[in-house]
Amino acid sequence: MALASKTEPRVQSPSSSNVDYEHLETSEALKQLGADPQSGLSDAEAKTRLEKYGPNALPEKKVSAFEMFGKFFWGPMPWMIEAAAIMSLLVRDLVDFSIIMVMLFFNAVLGFWHERQAASALDALKGALAQEAQALRGGKGSIVLARTLVPGDVVRIRLGNVVPADVKLLEGLYLDVDQSALTGESLPVSKAPGDLAYSGSIAKKGEMTGAVIGTGANTFFGRTAGLVQSAGSESHFVRANNAIGDFLIILAVALAVVMVAVQLHRGDDFLRIAEYALLLLVAAIPVAMPAVLSMTMAMGAKALSVERAIVSRLDSIEELAGITILFSDKTGTLTQNKLTLGEPIVWGGARAEDVILAGALSSKKENDDPIDLAVLKSVKDPSVLDVYRPIAYMPFDPVSKRTEATFEDATGKQFKVSKGMPPVIFELAGLAGNDLAAAQKVVSQNAADGYRTLAVARCDEDGRWNMLGILPMFDPPREDSRETIARAAEYGVKVKMVTGDDVAIGKTIASQLGLGSNIIAASDIFTGEINQTEVPMDLARRVDVAEGYGRVFPEHKWAIVKSAQQLGHIVGMTGDGVNDAPALKQADVGVAVSGATEAARAAASLILTAPGLSVIIRGIEEARKTFERMMGYAYYRVAMTVSIMLFIVLVMVIFNAAILTPVMIILLALLDDVPVMLIAFDNAKISSRPTKWDMHRVLVVSSMLALIGVVQSIILVRYLHHEQYFELAPLQTAMFMQLVIAGHLLLFSTRTTGFFFQPPFPEWRFFSAIMGTQVLAACMAAFGWLVTPISWRLIGFIWLYNLVWLFVIDLLKLAMYRQFDRREAGRVAWKSWFHPLDPQGGRLAKIRTER
């Protein structure tokens, strides 16, 4: 039994965008298409039109694997690594060259793998299209490849067929189609001659012929695929990596210019200057940074999988930690996706159980119809149905719009029961005058509250139908939805409902879940053609103030996501159908819910294997812990890189000596970053607010920490050289130890936003790896492995020296954090004075009104 509750998508002609086939009379549509419903197109005409309109297939924009792989060698971070590789060849340092190239290719392979994963979205969409179709060509029915269909072809659609193109239905009694993957409707939709059926939908009942009005990219399905191709946004992780790369390149170039100028002035030869430049480049490159961050995200993905959320794009973890708005599908995510009976409205002295019993008797479990199953489930004692012997049954069809069953009771008396669309049952029962007006009012009130309704009647042996009552039906909210939405609010995430259902249904569910009452129709906001690159800011602001959206089409979902992004939000979007794919790909975090289609899963970055929003909230918690680890590492890595570069150049300028050898710098990178990869296991707190990359904050704080590190190291150099009279070789080893110890102690500071000795404490594997590395470095320095040996006493002194400085660094870090937090609080407070639609409509307007 099918009920249509949603507005149908708007479809126009593939060949003439000003022809609206949805509202065009069938005869006029056939004339426009040049179609003959009796004989179809001739083979010659079909071939001509195929050349004109192209194949009935999704357009492809192929990028070769070589081109896709090559782009990972282009950008700020790859340039730095490639420059260091070239310099190492110039000075014939093959060891450095080999290490640098391994890191370069490792990062490229990692990025290439993720890119290939994302490219699967369009392939999954193609898989949902029909492969063959039954078409009328030259007066004969034949099976043709679906890709050869053209506008004007006459096709036959039967039970189980995938509709091969957008068609205008011509002849046949009725056709029920499942277009849930396209429009999100949970029930099959009844079609009649003159209606449209869309490519990719599936025939569930009946049989009809239709004239093809749109093929390939010019179908409702094709426009969705086009949006998938155009959708997508650069991740904040990529932007952060690029910003760090740009910063380090500029700094490295500036310092290199200073160093080269000084060395040229001193009369050094080219090879010596090139060696110094290589030294600086190697120091400037955080070669392990992409790998460490990827490892951290990979471990976060593993933790999310335990929460039944599968990550298909690693950097979506970082995005998930920062989402400020979550656009959620209603059906199946906020609600149970199970039709449920409300309290029956009785009529003419009938009892509620009489209405339910009659409705159940006129249902059949074996039909597997959602409405029938909901009515049967509402019977408290199913055994009562066995008392009645079935004699005849008439199933629902779009013509009669009702079901009817004949039974015999225990006394041998026969009776009939019927349920169906209220107007049909009202007429069947002969309602008129005030009775009809009262019944229609009940239906209207239920519709306003978001309920679908069925009317039920009974006919006894006298042959007169009597109205028994009205059955309201609804899809109830999930039991955990309200609590989950409240938890999301505590984490600073605003949940907004997006549904293809009518606004009234949306408001009812929203009120039950505490989502607010400002639910608006998306079709009222986006009234014209939607720009596939950006949304006008006036429309974006209208989207922003709404608390939910009804009557949403696929292109609306994409525009809603894009609007929020243009206003600075990090956006999460849930979906399950083909129609959701463009919005899922455009969103910062596209979430394919449990039971989603292959196209939705391919476009999404997070795939849920359990129903409901609670999985997403647990995912946000885990993602924020992962992000805290990444931020702690980023502060540490940038600060150490800047510190080492500045230190090398300053010592070169002041003392005219290379304070570190190239081997030491390579060892330093390995000893610093290899154990630090275990930061992926570290304990981290869950931020109560959305987290994001604030590159101004990262670079300023890191630079200040780097300056403190340089001061710390310069003081030690001066003390050991001028006070203890160390020669260059042991001094280099001492400074090697200084940087190894200072780096890991700095990480213990940056891994938390509080004092380093406050919880959360380091996880034992992470802590053990750091301390194990320190023991290894101490042994290298003491026993002279690859470096000039120094005493254990000096190593102990350097340790104590750095522990004292750790408290200084921690105090400076907290002071800078407080300063940035105050500025951010002030900025948020200032913005809160203004309403997003009216620059003078927030608190200022309130003050003016009060005055």
Side-chain angles (χ1 to χ4, degrees):
M1 186 172 183
L3 291 177
S5 64
K6 299 187 182 183
T7 308
E8 290 292 301
R10 296 158 294 195
V11 173
Q12 293 180 323
S13 165
S15 55
S16 178
S17 60
N18 59 357
V19 179
D20 184 358
Y21 283 104
E22 184 178 3
H23 301 105
L24 204 62
E25 290 292 333
T26 300
S27 58
E28 184 62 27
L30 290 172
K31 182 179 178 182
Q32 289 278 352
L33 291 165
D36 184 347
Q38 304 304 319
S39 61
L41 299 176
S42 66
D43 290 336
E45 178 63 18
K47 184 177 180 181
T48 301
R49 294 193 184 192
L50 185 62
E51 292 174 354
K52 179 179 179 180
Y53 296 119
N56 179 31
L58 297 180
E60 298 184 59
K61 190 167 64 175
K62 287 287 186 182
V63 178
S64 70
F66 179 79
E67 184 181 349
M68 189 183 292
F69 185 66
K71 77 175 188 177
F72 292 102
F73 295 89
W74 186 261
M77 201 70 77
W79 292 338
M80 294 176 69
I81 299 175
E82 289 155 8
I86 292 170
M87 291 302 298
S88 63
L89 279 179
L90 288 175
V91 298
R92 298 181 177 84
D93 191 338
L94 296 181
V95 174
D96 285 2
F97 175 78
S98 300
I99 293 173
I100 290 167
M101 292 305 294
V102 165
M103 294 307 300
L104 179 66
F105 273 89
F106 176 79
N107 293 331
V109 169
L110 200 65
F112 175 73
W113 182 78
H114 292 311
E115 190 85 6
R116 294 286 288 182
Q117 290 289 104
S120 62
L122 197 59
D123 294 335
L125 279 170
K126 294 172 189 171
L129 293 175
Q131 303 300 312
E132 293 181 333
Q134 185 175 357
L136 190 62
R137 294 273 176 91
K140 297 179 181 179
S142 58
I143 302 297
V144 300
L145 291 175
R147 63 180 291 107
T148 65
L149 290 177
V150 294
D153 258 325
V154 176
V155 296
R156 180 169 293 279
I157 303 167
R158 290 191 172 100
L159 172 68
N161 288 164
V162 176
V163 179
D166 282 357
V167 300
K168 181 85 169 178
L169 295 174
L170 303 176
E171 296 176 349
L173 189 60
Y174 70 93
L175 182 71
D176 281 2
V177 295
D178 176 4
Q179 54 189 41
S180 59
L182 298 176
T183 63
E185 291 161 295
S186 54
L187 296 175
V189 178
S190 298
K191 301 289 186 179
D195 291 340
L196 302 184
Y198 306 108
S199 174
S201 55
I202 302 170
K204 288 295 187 180
K205 292 180 183 178
E207 181 177 336
M208 274 194 178
T209 59
V212 174
I213 62 169
T215 58
N218 293 308
T219 62
F220 177 72
F221 190 98
R223 289 201 306 276
T224 299
L227 283 172
V228 169
Q229 281 190 312
S230 63
S233 57
E234 186 181 46
S235 75
H236 296 81
F237 173 71
V238 171
R239 294 178 209 165
N241 253 337
N242 289 341
I244 291 172
D246 292 343
F247 173 74
L248 294 178
I249 281 179
I250 293 169
L251 184 61
V253 169
L255 291 174
V257 168
V258 171
M259 187 178 68
V260 169
V262 170
Q263 295 309 114
L264 285 174
H265 178 72
R266 288 172 175 166
D268 281 355
D269 61 38
F270 173 77
L271 275 180
R272 179 172 165 80
I273 293 174
E275 187 176 359
Y276 289 154
L278 171 62
L279 193 67
L280 187 61
L281 273 174
V282 172
I285 303 169
V287 286
M289 186 172 181
V292 172
L293 294 179
S294 294
M295 170 102 173
T296 304
M297 289 189 289
M299 295 309 298
K302 184 177 180 182
L304 284 174
S305 68
V306 176
E307 301 293 343
R308 305 190 71 180
I310 308 301
V311 175
S312 63
R313 201 187 80 224
L314 273 186
D315 54 13
S316 65
I317 294 177
E318 172 256 330
E319 308 283 10
L320 183 60
I323 62 172
T324 53
I325 291 182
L326 176 61
F327 294 112
S328 174
D329 255 4
K330 175 184 71 69
T331 305
T333 304
L334 296 174
T335 65
Q336 298 177 24
N337 196 19
K338 296 177 182 177
L339 279 178
T340 304
L341 249 61
E343 188 65 29
I345 296 103
V346 297
W347 201 264
R351 299 174 302 168
E353 50 266 36
D354 296 334
V355 182
I356 294 174
L357 176 62
L361 289 172
S362 56
S363 304
K364 268 189 175 292
K365 185 177 182 179
E366 51 267 35
N367 286 350
D368 201 28
D369 182 275
I371 293 177
D372 283 3
L373 294 177
V375 175
L376 288 166
K377 189 177 179 180
S378 66
V379 178
K380 293 180 180 179
D381 181 11
S383 64
V384 74
L385 302 176
D386 298 333
V387 174
Y388 305 96
R389 185 174 69 87
I391 296 174
Y393 181 78
M394 182 187 77
F396 179 91
D397 67 74
V399 179
S400 66
K401 293 183 171 58
R402 67 185 181 93
T403 64
E404 181 181 305
T406 305
F407 283 89
E408 184 179 272
D409 63 18
T411 64
K413 292 182 179 179
Q414 290 190 7
F415 65 95
K416 296 179 181 180
V417 287
S418 181
K419 73 175 191 305
M421 303 292 283
V424 173
I425 300 298
F426 295 165
E427 183 180 354
L428 183 69
L431 293 188
N434 292 335
D435 286 342
L436 178 60
Q440 290 173 335
K441 184 178 180 181
V442 169
V443 173
S444 299
Q445 287 174 340
N446 275 275
D449 291 336
Y451 290 92
R452 295 184 175 101
T453 50
L454 291 173
V456 181
R458 173 173 171 143
C459 175
D460 290 310
E461 290 182 326
D462 60 3
R464 184 171 176 271
W465 284 95
N466 295 302
M467 171 89 164
L468 295 179
I470 295 172
L471 295 174
M473 308 186 76
F474 69 105
D475 181 10
R478 290 178 55 84
E479 294 178 357
D480 61 346
S481 289
R482 188 178 183 92
E483 179 188 351
T484 302
I485 290 166
R487 283 178 59 202
E490 291 173 2
Y491 285 132
V493 179
K494 174 69 175 176
V495 178
K496 297 190 177 186
M497 180 173 61
V498 179
T499 178
D501 281 326
D502 193 72
V503 170
I505 296 175
K507 285 185 175 180
T508 299
I509 298 297
S511 64
Q512 294 172 351
L513 297 178
L515 287 175
S517 59
N518 188 21
I519 311 298
I520 59 177
S523 53
D524 290 344
I525 300 176
F526 305 106
T527 55
E529 191 73 19
I530 295 176
N531 188 326
Q532 293 189 13
T533 55
E534 65 176 332
V535 177
M537 288 306 293
D538 60 324
L539 298 184
R541 293 190 183 97
R542 289 185 64 191
V543 169
D544 193 48
V545 297
E547 293 171 310
Y549 316 91
R551 298 207 299 272
V552 177
F553 298 144
E555 59 268 30
H556 295 155
K557 292 187 178 184
W558 177 88
I560 287 169
V561 170
K562 186 67 176 176
S563 297
Q565 289 174 329
Q566 287 178 196
L567 293 173
H569 293 289
I570 297 179
V571 179
M573 174 75 188
T574 73
D576 60 356
V578 172
N579 64 317
D580 297 319
L584 291 175
K585 190 177 178 188
Q586 178 63 41
D588 298 293
V589 183
V591 182
V593 299
S594 177
T597 61
E598 182 63 29
R601 290 197 297 270
S605 50
L606 193 68
I607 302 166
L608 306 186
T609 59
L613 278 183
S614 59
V615 181
I616 301 176
I617 302 305
R618 292 197 297 273
I620 288 174
E621 293 171 348
E622 191 58 49
R624 289 190 183 177
K625 288 194 286 186
T626 300
F627 187 81
E628 286 295 316
R629 298 177 188 121
M630 293 169 61
M631 284 296 293
Y633 173 78
Y635 278 121
Y636 149 77
R637 186 66 271 169
V638 175
M640 278 305 297
T641 302
V642 172
S643 178
I644 292 171
M645 282 196 297
L646 284 173
F647 180 54
I648 288 173
V649 172
L650 282 175
V651 172
M652 183 70 68
V653 171
I654 297 171
F655 299 104
N656 191 23
I659 197 62
L660 295 174
T661 66
V663 170
M664 284 180 179
I665 291 181
I666 297 295
L667 288 173
L668 193 60
L670 293 173
L671 291 172
D672 272 352
D673 277 338
V674 170
V676 168
M677 285 189 179
L678 291 178
I679 198 172
F681 297 99
D682 192 24
N683 297 319
K685 72 172 188 177
I686 301 173
S687 173
S688 61
R689 308 303 302 167
T691 55
K692 63 179 181 179
W693 289 98
D694 183 346
M695 292 315 301
H696 175 68
R697 177 174 179 147
V698 169
L699 296 179
V700 169
V701 171
S702 297
S703 298
M704 291 301 296
L705 293 175
L707 289 175
I708 292 295
V710 171
V711 171
Q712 174 187 354
S713 297
I714 290 289
I715 291 173
L716 185 60
V717 167
R718 187 170 182 82
Y719 171 74
L720 294 177
H721 184 62
H722 291 282
E723 302 297 330
Q724 300 298 316
Y725 307 107
F726 271 67
E727 296 297 328
L728 180 60
L731 184 61
Q732 286 176 327
T733 304
M735 296 319 298
F736 167 72
M737 276 303 301
Q738 152 68 19
L739 293 174
V740 171
I741 296 167
H744 285 163
L745 291 183
L746 175 63
L747 181 56
F748 284 139
S749 175
T750 60
R751 61 173 288 276
T752 175
T753 54
F755 283 107
F756 72 91
F757 50 79
Q758 292 178 320
F761 300 114
E763 195 266 348
W764 71 269
R765 283 169 291 187
F766 169 63
F767 183 77
S768 299
I770 296 293
M771 298 315 296
T773 303
Q774 289 298 323
V775 170
L776 176 60
C779 290
M780 290 176 66
F783 299 121
W785 300 339
L786 301 177
V787 297
T788 301
I790 59 175
S791 68
W792 283 105
R793 182 179 178 183
L794 179 56
I795 294 171
F797 171 77
I798 296 172
W799 256 101
L800 289 174
Y801 179 77
N802 278 278
L803 285 173
V804 172
W805 273 98
L806 177 58
F807 285 90
V808 177
I809 290 171
D810 229 27
L811 288 171
L812 175 66
K813 174 198 73 176
L814 292 175
M816 287 188 291
Y817 283 177
R818 277 196 295 270
Q819 185 65 23
F820 274 101
D821 289 342
R822 283 197 203 100
R823 289 185 180 181
E824 178 65 17
R827 186 181 66 84
V828 172
W830 175 254
K831 284 179 70 177
S832 70
W833 277 68
F834 301 102
H835 191 276
L837 279 178
D838 179 3
Q840 295 183 335
R843 296 185 189 174
L844 294 180
K846 184 178 179 182
I847 292 172
R848 290 199 305 270
T849 303
E850 290 171 349
R851 287 177 177 173

